[in-house]
Amino acid sequence: MTVRDALNSALDEEMSADPKVFVMGEEVGEYQGAYKITKGLLAKYGPQRVIDTPITEAGFTGIGVGAAYHGLRPVIEFMTFNFSMQAIDHIINSAAKSNYMSAGQISVPIVFRGPNGAAAGVGAQHSQCYAAWYGACPGLKVLAPYSSEDARGLLKAAIRDPDPVVFLENELLYGESFPISAEALDSSFSLPIGKAKIEREGKDVTITAFSKMVGYAIKAAELLAKEGISAEVINLRSIRPLDRPAINASVRKTNRLVTVEEGFPQHGVGAEICASVVEESFEYLDAPVERISGADVPMPYAANLERLAVPQVEDIVRAVKRVCYRSSK
């Protein structure tokens, strides 16, 4: 199943199961979704539940939060998460903080979803990763699926959750196909929020990644295996809450850590993971932690420079060799 179909089927099933769920965003209806994630939903559920909006993120996100205050379950689509900056006041001040500020009287069951991070050739303003931005905010849950099973299980969990969830997809993963279990195809299926998945077991080094970078980490682990290095790959799935116990348990087994993300290095997800491991498992480390991230520059437009600005499989391989003392570079 492709990630696109996994997201579409999860939306369809949750809308069918709960009449309070509705979808709102630019081109989600008549056009079937900018990336066809909402394909077929307008015909099935009608314009009351699949709502095409003008290009006004601040407007429709605010309407969505207000609807969630009143007990509906909106799924707000951003054509790219870069455009969520237009609506960040509603996401953080109106959605994330209301449960706490109302002493639990107001719950805000809303999902903000769309493609996050670098795509290809869309320049600095459309290529940012928002995992660390939203992951820093109490009151939000932040999810970043990799596979089709992740996408289906986590989107269902996000829609059913009583709190606001930022759901970070990846445009370049939409068309990728992954094996999917019979269990994951069941309409009642969901994945727990806050739990990472060990994609590949290993004993020499732990590699943490999320979203598209999980695939890169798996490819790196396969290359490293040919050189006798056994890498454990952890798919974070959830950025907030972060599965600190799973990460630390792995590092205590492998004694080495490499973190991988597409976002900027400073104050990134990898920095938080590094802090957690230093605080809880420092005495287990046999080498300094390595962080692989995007370059600390606005994303270049030129294709050759863009490739240099985002992590590649060979960057992960080199970092692992460094922490295993198998490289002079």
Side-chain angles (χ1 to χ4, degrees):
M1 181 180 267
T2 64
V3 171
R4 176 180 286 107
D5 289 342
L7 293 166
N8 178 265
S9 63
L11 274 172
D12 186 6
E13 288 167 19
E14 293 307 300
M15 289 180 78
S16 178
D18 185 350
K20 294 192 181 85
V21 179
F22 72 95
V23 174
M24 183 161 55
E26 295 154 9
E27 297 187 341
V28 297
E30 296 286 350
Y31 190 69
Q32 310 287 314
Y35 300 99
K36 305 299 179 248
I37 305 300
T38 52
K39 188 175 182 182
L41 300 183
L42 176 63
K44 189 168 180 181
Y45 298 104
Q48 293 287 95
R49 294 184 64 197
V50 181
I51 303 168
D52 277 320
T53 67
I55 301 173
T56 170
E57 282 77 12
F60 66 76
T61 305
I63 291 169
V65 173
Y69 285 172
H70 285 274
L72 297 179
R73 292 184 172 270
V75 178
I76 302 300
E77 176 176 312
F78 296 119
M79 202 177 286
T80 151
F81 253 93
N82 298 277
F83 300 156
S84 74
M85 290 173 72
Q86 299 285 336
I88 204 162
D89 183 50
H90 290 304
I91 296 168
I92 290 177
N93 282 330
S94 305
K97 297 174 183 173
S98 292
N99 186 259
Y100 175 83
M101 292 178 75
S102 68
Q105 294 177 83
I106 300 173
S107 64
V108 192
I110 188 170
V111 177
F112 306 102
R113 54 153 296 272
N116 170 68
V122 290
Q125 293 169 328
H126 291 179
S127 298
Q128 293 165 118
C129 174
Y130 286 87
W133 293 52
Y134 289 118
C137 184
L140 290 177
K141 291 170 183 173
V142 182
L143 305 178
Y146 161 61
S147 67
S148 300
E149 199 154 306
D150 289 358
R152 236 181 99 74
L154 292 173
L155 185 54
K156 282 172 164 284
I159 293 169
R160 296 170 191 174
D161 200 85
D163 296 311
V165 179
V166 170
F167 196 85
L168 303 171
E169 300 157 14
N170 185 285
E171 183 186 333
L172 300 178
L173 285 177
Y174 285 149
E176 281 205 30
S177 289
F178 293 88
I180 196 156
S181 65
E183 180 198 6
L185 292 171
D186 190 278
S187 62
S188 64
F189 176 71
S190 76
L191 288 170
I193 291 173
K195 290 290 178 191
K197 180 190 178 189
I198 296 175
E199 294 281 352
R200 182 188 173 104
E201 300 240 352
K203 64 183 195 310
D204 295 330
V205 59
T206 298
I207 306 173
T208 64
F210 60 93
S211 190
K212 185 166 177 275
M213 289 294 115
V214 177
Y216 282 28
I218 292 168
K219 283 177 188 162
E222 288 165 357
L223 292 171
L224 289 158
K226 293 173 184 171
E227 300 189 43
I229 297 172
S230 169
E232 182 146 298
V233 177
I234 296 181
N235 171 5
L236 295 175
R237 282 181 168 169
S238 179
I239 305 300
R240 184 182 188 101
L242 190 63
D243 193 350
R244 297 168 200 273
I247 296 164
N248 279 279
S250 178
V251 170
R252 290 178 184 202
K253 178 176 76 170
T254 66
N255 311 113
R256 294 173 174 84
L257 173 64
V258 174
T259 71
V260 188
E261 65 190 304
E262 274 190 310
F264 301 128
Q266 188 158 321
H267 308 125
V269 175
E272 180 63 28
I273 291 170
C274 177
S276 175
V277 167
V278 167
E279 287 162 3
E280 296 176 46
S281 306
F282 180 72
E283 65 274 27
Y284 290 86
L285 287 171
D286 287 343
V289 176
E290 285 262 358
R291 284 186 298 152
I292 303 290
S293 70
D296 201 17
V297 295
M299 178 66 76
Y301 175 69
N304 58 333
L305 297 178
E306 182 180 64
R307 189 180 188 282
L308 293 171
V310 291
Q312 303 297 331
V313 173
E314 56 264 31
D315 298 320
I316 303 169
V317 170
R318 279 197 295 268
V320 168
K321 286 182 178 178
R322 284 195 297 269
V323 299
C324 292
Y325 303 116
R326 294 274 292 272
S327 169
S328 58
K329 287 185 276 186

